[in-house]
Amino acid sequence: MHDLARAQRTFQGLLGAVVSISSELELPTVLRRIVRTAMDLVGARYGAMGVLDDSGEHLAEFVPLGLTAQELAGLSGVELPRGRGLLGHLIHHPQPLRVDRISAHPVSAGFPPGHPPMRSLLGVAVSVRGQVYGNLYLSDRKDGKPFDRHDEGVILALAGTAGVAIENARLYDQVRNSSERFQRLLLPELLDLRPFEAGAIYRPARTPGQLGGDWYDAVKLSDDSCIAVIGDVVGHDLEAAAAMSQTRNMLRALTFDGRTPPSAALTQLDRIMDKTGGQLLTTACVARLDPADRGWRLRWSSAGHPPPLVVPPDGAAYYLEAEPGLPLRVDTTRPRPDHCRVLPPGSTVILYTDGLIERHDRPLTEGMHALAALARHHAREPVDQLCRSLADRHPSDGHDDMAALILRTPGP
C-alpha cells in the first residue's frame, strides 16, 4: 500500500511536471524548470543540468540549483564543471547512473575546494531528437536515503518530457530570431545625416514568429534640411511586413525631392495606396527639420500616429499635440494639415510607434507620460544611448513590436 501510494503521488507529480515544463518557451527558464522539477519529484537537495558542447565531449553550460547563498559564496572563483569524473563518465556512458557514495566510486574526481559535500548521485541523459543534449544530475535525498530504482524511473520519464521541452524552446528561438532578422533586413540603415545626430532602434514583440509592421526612415536633403518618417502597418504577418516595405519605399520617393510638404506626401501616399488595393490600416508621421533664424523649424503631418516628443536643451519634454489625422486607407478625401514649431538649437525630436507606450490594461496617455519622463531622465545621453534607454526601459507591455527614430539638432 505504501509503494502504491508513493507511485500515485509520483504519477500525479509527473503529470504536473509535464504541464509545468511544457508551458515555458525561453530556453534558460526551461532548463532551470527541468532541474527544479526533478529535485521536487525525488526530494533531492541539489540538482543541475549540464549542457554538452558541439563536440559532445565536454560541458558547455552548467545550471546548478539548491545551493545556499553561503555555499555559492564558497564557490566564488571556482570554474564550473567541464565534465570530468562521474560527470564525464555519464557523458561517455549515457545510461542512468546511481551512486550511493560518490567518493567511493572508482572514477570519482572529488570536489574542488569550497564545494559543499555531496554523498549520493542520480544522473540521466537528456536527449533531443535522438542526440544527447546534456545530463540531469541530482544529489542527496533530503531524507538521507540513497536514490532507488523508483527515483531512477521517475527521472527517466521526466527526461523524455525535458527533451521535448528543450526542442520546443530551441525552435522558439529559431523562429523568433529568423523573424527578427527578416524584419531588420526590411528596415533601412540610417544614412549620414550630419550635422544632425541621429539614431534608430527596432525591437520585436515578445511573441515568436510575428513579423511587425513598424518602420522608420530619414534622409538629409541638399539644403541641409532633414526628412524623418515613422510608421506602423497594422498586423503581424508576411502581409504586414510586405506592406510596410512598400509603404516605406513609396514615402521615401515622395519626400526625397525636398519640395513636397509632409501633408502633401501623406495625401499622395494615401491615394496611391487606395489605387493599389490592400486593406491594412497604416499610421505614419512625416517630419521635416529646416534651418530657422532662431534655431530649427519642425514641420510635420500625421496620419493617425502618436505625436512627436520633443526634448529641448533644458531637459524638459513635451508632445507636439496637434490634429492627428486619419490613418492611411481610411478616407482619401479628407485634407491633411501641416503643423509647425520652431525648436531651439540642441533640441531632440523623438518619433516612435505605439509599441513603445501601449499597455492593454492602461490608457495610452499613461504610457505617453511615462515615456516623456523617461526621455527627460536620459535627455543628456548621446542619441544612440538614448535610443537604447527608451527601448530597454519602455513603459509598454511588450506585446507589440516597437521602433523609435531620434534626431538631435545642432547646438548653438
Side-chain angles (χ1 to χ4, degrees):
M1 290 296 294
H2 174 78
D3 291 342
L4 182 61
R6 181 187 180 191
Q8 186 176 13
R9 289 194 303 270
T10 301
F11 180 70
Q12 292 173 343
L14 192 57
L15 287 177
V18 170
V19 174
S20 175
I21 293 173
S22 301
S23 66
E24 297 290 347
L25 287 175
E26 298 284 351
L27 185 56
T29 305
V30 168
L31 296 181
R32 294 180 65 86
R33 181 66 65 86
I34 290 169
V35 177
R36 175 57 64 187
T37 301
M39 293 168 62
D40 292 342
L41 284 174
V42 298
R45 188 178 304 277
Y46 303 105
M49 172 70 77
V51 180
L52 298 180
D53 61 14
D54 292 338
S55 70
E57 298 290 322
H58 304 285
L59 296 179
E61 188 177 353
F62 195 76
V63 184
L65 292 182
L67 296 170
T68 66
Q70 184 176 358
E71 288 170 337
L72 286 171
L75 289 171
S76 177
V78 176
E79 182 184 7
L80 290 176
R82 292 281 295 156
R84 302 181 181 90
L86 281 172
L87 304 190
H89 178 80
L90 187 57
I91 290 173
H92 295 101
H93 302 87
Q95 290 81 33
L97 178 66
R98 276 190 292 128
V99 178
D100 293 347
R101 286 187 59 201
I102 295 175
S103 60
H105 196 280
V107 302
S108 175
F111 297 106
H115 195 287
M118 295 182 182
R119 180 179 178 84
S120 60
L121 174 74
L122 170 59
V124 300
V126 176
S127 297
V128 176
R129 292 198 173 190
Q131 182 175 359
V132 176
Y133 174 83
N135 295 302
L136 180 58
Y137 311 106
L138 300 166
S139 183
D140 292 3
R141 274 178 43 166
K142 294 179 181 179
D143 60 9
K145 298 179 180 179
F147 295 107
D148 56 25
R149 190 175 298 278
H150 177 85
D151 296 328
E152 180 182 317
V154 170
I155 300 305
L156 274 174
L158 179 67
T161 298
V164 175
I166 291 169
E167 176 65 5
N168 289 341
R170 292 167 70 182
L171 290 173
Y172 172 91
D173 281 342
Q174 291 172 11
V175 170
R176 179 175 57 185
N177 294 338
S178 297
S179 299
E180 181 178 346
R181 184 171 181 271
F182 179 72
Q183 178 77 17
R184 292 187 186 280
L185 288 173
L186 296 177
L187 295 172
E189 290 189 16
L190 290 183
L191 303 175
D192 184 359
L193 301 177
R194 288 178 294 181
F196 300 96
E197 292 182 56
I201 197 164
Y202 169 79
R203 293 282 175 86
R206 292 175 181 170
T207 305
Q210 288 199 351
L211 296 172
D214 292 19
W215 91 90
Y216 54 79
D217 201 0
V219 178
K220 181 187 172 185
L221 304 177
S222 57
D223 60 357
D224 286 335
S225 62
C226 180
I227 296 286
V229 179
I230 193 88
D232 185 2
V233 177
V234 175
H236 296 89
D237 52 22
L238 282 173
E239 186 180 358
M244 176 271 285
S245 180
Q246 293 170 355
T247 304
R248 181 183 68 81
N249 291 335
M250 286 190 290
L251 198 50
R252 171 176 276 203
L254 290 169
T255 58
F256 191 75
D257 63 1
R259 297 186 296 271
T260 305
S263 61
L266 286 174
T267 298
Q268 293 180 45
L269 174 65
D270 205 6
R271 290 171 180 168
I272 294 171
M273 293 170 68
D274 186 55
K275 301 282 186 191
T276 57
Q279 301 297 323
L280 295 180
L281 290 178
T282 302
T283 68
C285 179
V286 180
R288 174 169 175 156
L289 280 164
D290 298 288
D293 293 338
R294 293 174 295 168
W296 293 86
R297 181 183 298 107
L298 177 65
R299 290 184 290 175
W300 79 97
S301 185
S302 177
H305 203 78
L309 175 62
V310 173
V311 184
D314 62 9
Y318 59 89
Y319 288 98
L320 297 176
E321 300 286 0
E323 170 58 45
L326 292 174
L328 301 168
R329 298 183 185 272
V330 174
D331 185 353
T332 59
T333 64
R334 293 283 295 273
R336 296 189 180 277
D338 282 303
H339 313 285
C340 183
R341 181 73 64 91
V342 175
L343 306 179
S347 294
T348 302
V349 180
I350 302 173
L351 305 178
Y352 55 94
T353 58
D354 59 5
L356 204 65
I357 57 174
E358 188 175 44
R359 292 185 65 95
H360 292 89
D361 58 344
R362 297 179 186 175
L364 197 63
T365 52
E366 286 192 22
M368 293 176 65
H369 292 326
L371 182 65
L374 192 61
R376 281 193 295 269
H377 183 72
H378 297 276
R380 297 186 181 277
E381 294 178 348
V383 168
D384 284 342
Q385 180 57 47
L386 177 58
C387 279
R388 291 191 292 271
S389 296
L390 297 184
D392 290 343
R393 299 173 174 83
H394 62 86
S396 79
D397 55 18
H399 291 164
D400 195 3
D401 53 338
M402 61 186 74
L405 172 63
I406 302 179
L407 293 177
R408 182 170 291 161
T409 63

